[in-house]
Amino acid sequence: MVSRFCLLGMVIFSAAVSAQDDFPLKNFLRAQGTISPGISLSEKGSNIYLHGDLEYYLENNVSVRGESYFLIGGNHVDQGITEFTNYFGVVYHFVGNKKFDPYFGFQPGIAVRHYAVNCIDITRVDCPIGYTLSPQFSVITGVNFFLNKYLHFFGMMRYINGHDASFTVDYPMNELRFSAGLGWNLRLKN
Amino acid sequence: MKRAILSFILLLLADFAFAQKPVKNPYAGMISLGMRSTYSSFSDGTFNDWETGYGGQLRVQFSEKINSDWFADYLTGSVGSLADRQDVHIGWSIMYYPLNQPGFENFLKPYIVAGHCFDWTNMEVTSSLGTETGKKFSSAVQMGLGTHFNLTDRMDLSLTTQYMIHLGKDIHIRDYPEGGSYLYYDDHLDLEGHMLFTLSCNYKIVELW
């Protein structure tokens, strides 16, 4: 039954893609800002981030993309952590010249965290603050749907594998993050 | 007779000249830029505590068969529950393509890789007696296998597995009999080896020569 649904989905997907007019993506600059939930894979609970990205299509099938996340709520905020994460890498777009734009990307990242060190009560003002720089492995997959030359819908998922290497606060950083919404795009060259 | 001999020599010369392979290699001078994630099995030989690394590389191709990576990585991890560790790797590797595959048109392009590296290590152990920090420099050699996954003629993902051996004065973690741990420095040069798994994305930006 599941395989039949998959097959039907693939047929509909390929029919939808082939029915579209050409919409070359080369030289597009696209950006978005949204709020993203993150589900931790190594501890119970979730986190909430402000998420923004900027992407430039070098070719119809290839783009470079940088993204930032700023922790604003959830488990880690309750634990007294402030976190800012940046990712940069390359994205491969499977179709490339249609409005429907599914993709896969690889983006190594680095998380900057600061937190209260060795404090039972993190609300105490005299808690010493520690900083860590933690490298992260990250892959993304998602889809854009370009409405016109200026706007698009997007949905994406990111898998993160990393480790906060601070001895005093030893956190695994394995997480799934989800983002969706409305983005902006602009063709820089014809 | 002289004219016939001269014509024959000219024909031979022309034939010899056309039979030569082109001197210029179309792939030499290709410059790529890339980002990379690295997993390292440092941590005193145990495979439980992986270091995760973030870095970048510049790729300079010398010929159709020989390419090179000039890389820098920052890695962090823990040594069991005893200490945390950070490493910085700066080095270079030569990649040799053993198969006769011209260009980057095939999806897979395997290579043999070997090179040198410099490493700065910082270890921090915390116990009831306080926090102790130890630093060391070492040099290393690495060798392994890898393959490009060519997504377009300009872009690839590259997966590399290497074994890296560091030469330097090692730092160990030892336990106090009354509890807690401390850092112990070797007074002699020693070898420390580990596996490295690197996934990188690379984009060919320009052909310089």
Side-chain angles (χ1 to χ4, degrees):
Chain A
M1 191 65 180
V2 174
S3 59
R4 280 183 189 174
F5 271 116
C6 288
L7 190 65
L8 182 68
M10 285 173 72
V11 168
I12 291 171
F13 169 75
S14 59
V17 168
S18 60
Q20 287 178 50
D21 292 333
D22 281 354
F23 192 78
L25 299 176
K26 188 176 179 182
N27 296 323
F28 252 36
L29 182 72
R30 62 158 292 283
Q32 61 84 11
T34 190
I35 296 167
S36 302
I39 298 171
S40 176
L41 301 176
S42 39
E43 58 186 348
K44 275 191 174 177
S46 59
N47 295 300
I48 304 165
Y49 301 89
L50 277 181
H51 171 211
D53 73 39
L54 189 65
E55 180 174 21
Y56 181 71
Y57 287 74
L58 297 164
E59 300 171 28
N60 281 337
N61 291 100
V62 178
S63 63
V64 288
R65 177 160 162 169
E67 306 199 33
S68 295
Y69 290 83
F70 185 71
L71 180 71
I72 53 171
N75 258 19
H76 289 163
V77 170
D78 297 341
Q79 292 164 18
I81 297 170
T82 306
E83 184 185 314
F84 182 64
T85 324
N86 284 295
Y87 302 93
F88 186 78
V90 177
V91 178
Y92 180 73
H93 301 265
F94 296 106
V95 183
N97 61 346
K98 303 285 184 189
K99 289 183 174 179
F100 187 70
D101 175 31
Y103 61 82
F104 169 83
F106 167 60
Q107 290 181 305
I110 197 149
V112 184
R113 280 182 159 194
H114 77 127
Y115 51 83
V117 180
N118 289 337
C119 277
I120 295 167
D121 178 7
I122 60 168
T123 57
R124 279 177 52 175
V125 290
D126 58 344
C127 277
I129 299 297
Y131 290 87
T132 58
L133 277 179
S134 302
Q136 295 188 334
F137 168 85
S138 149
V139 287
I140 59 171
T141 185
V143 63
N144 298 317
F145 185 77
F146 291 91
L147 304 176
N148 56 26
K149 287 191 287 185
Y150 305 110
L151 293 168
H152 65 273
F153 295 133
F154 71 92
M156 64 163 286
M157 182 179 76
R158 173 184 301 279
Y159 170 73
I160 296 160
N161 182 269
H163 178 81
D164 187 336
S166 164
F167 179 65
T168 44
V169 184
D170 191 14
Y171 289 112
M173 302 170 84
N174 306 327
E175 199 171 29
L176 281 177
R177 292 181 190 172
F178 301 90
S179 302
L182 180 69
W184 306 276
N185 46 272
L186 190 67
R187 191 184 300 283
L188 294 189
K189 282 189 246 175
N190 281 319
Chain B
M1 184 63 183
K2 273 186 182 173
R3 197 174 286 174
I5 292 171
L6 204 61
S7 301
F8 181 68
I9 290 170
L10 277 171
L11 270 173
L12 272 182
L13 268 176
D15 193 44
F16 180 70
F18 276 107
Q20 284 184 67
K21 288 178 182 171
V23 175
K24 179 167 166 46
N25 188 312
Y27 305 102
M30 188 66 82
I31 309 293
S32 307
L33 272 178
M35 306 291 295
R36 48 197 262 156
S37 277
T38 300
Y39 285 93
S40 165
S41 68
F42 249 129
S43 311
D44 283 349
T46 62
F47 280 86
N48 298 324
D49 304 312
W50 292 90
E51 277 190 309
T52 314
Y54 171 81
Q57 63 192 5
L58 176 75
R59 189 170 279 173
V60 182
Q61 187 158 1
F62 296 125
S63 70
E64 187 178 334
K65 291 262 186 183
I66 297 174
N67 211 335
S68 66
D69 269 344
W70 304 79
F71 61 85
D73 285 318
Y74 171 68
L75 303 103
T76 63
S78 57
V79 185
S81 57
L82 300 173
D84 75 304
R85 171 176 185 147
Q86 294 100 39
D87 285 270
V88 176
H89 287 166
I90 294 176
W92 67 297
S93 293
I94 291 292
M95 294 178 285
Y96 176 73
Y97 303 114
L99 302 182
N100 288 319
Q101 297 174 325
F104 296 88
E105 288 152 10
N106 288 34
F107 180 61
L108 290 178
K109 192 170 175 82
Y111 53 82
I112 302 163
V113 61
H116 299 104
C117 174
F118 295 98
D119 181 29
W120 172 85
T121 304
N122 180 55
M123 287 177 81
E124 196 172 296
V125 60
T126 302
S127 67
S128 54
L129 301 171
T131 299
E132 190 184 358
T133 304
K135 295 176 173 56
K136 69 163 181 172
F137 283 98
S138 63
S139 62
V141 292
Q142 72 272 3
M143 188 169 188
L145 298 170
T147 184
H148 301 316
F149 300 97
N150 294 307
L151 300 178
T152 72
D153 57 346
R154 281 189 171 266
M155 178 196 168
D156 68 79
L157 290 176
S158 299
L159 181 65
T160 310
T161 304
Q162 296 178 94
Y163 191 72
M164 185 177 264
I165 299 173
H166 291 258
L167 179 65
K169 289 181 179 176
D170 208 356
I171 308 172
H172 302 282
I173 301 164
R174 295 204 169 160
D175 293 331
Y176 289 113
E178 61 272 21
S181 304
Y182 64 99
L183 294 174
Y184 173 81
Y185 293 82
D186 274 348
D187 57 357
H188 58 277
L189 291 174
D190 206 352
L191 292 176
E192 186 189 19
H194 61 108
M195 294 293 295
L196 279 173
F197 300 94
T198 303
L199 182 65
S200 66
C201 56
N202 304 277
Y203 192 76
K204 298 173 186 67
I205 52 171
V206 67
E207 193 173 2
L208 278 190
W209 69 88

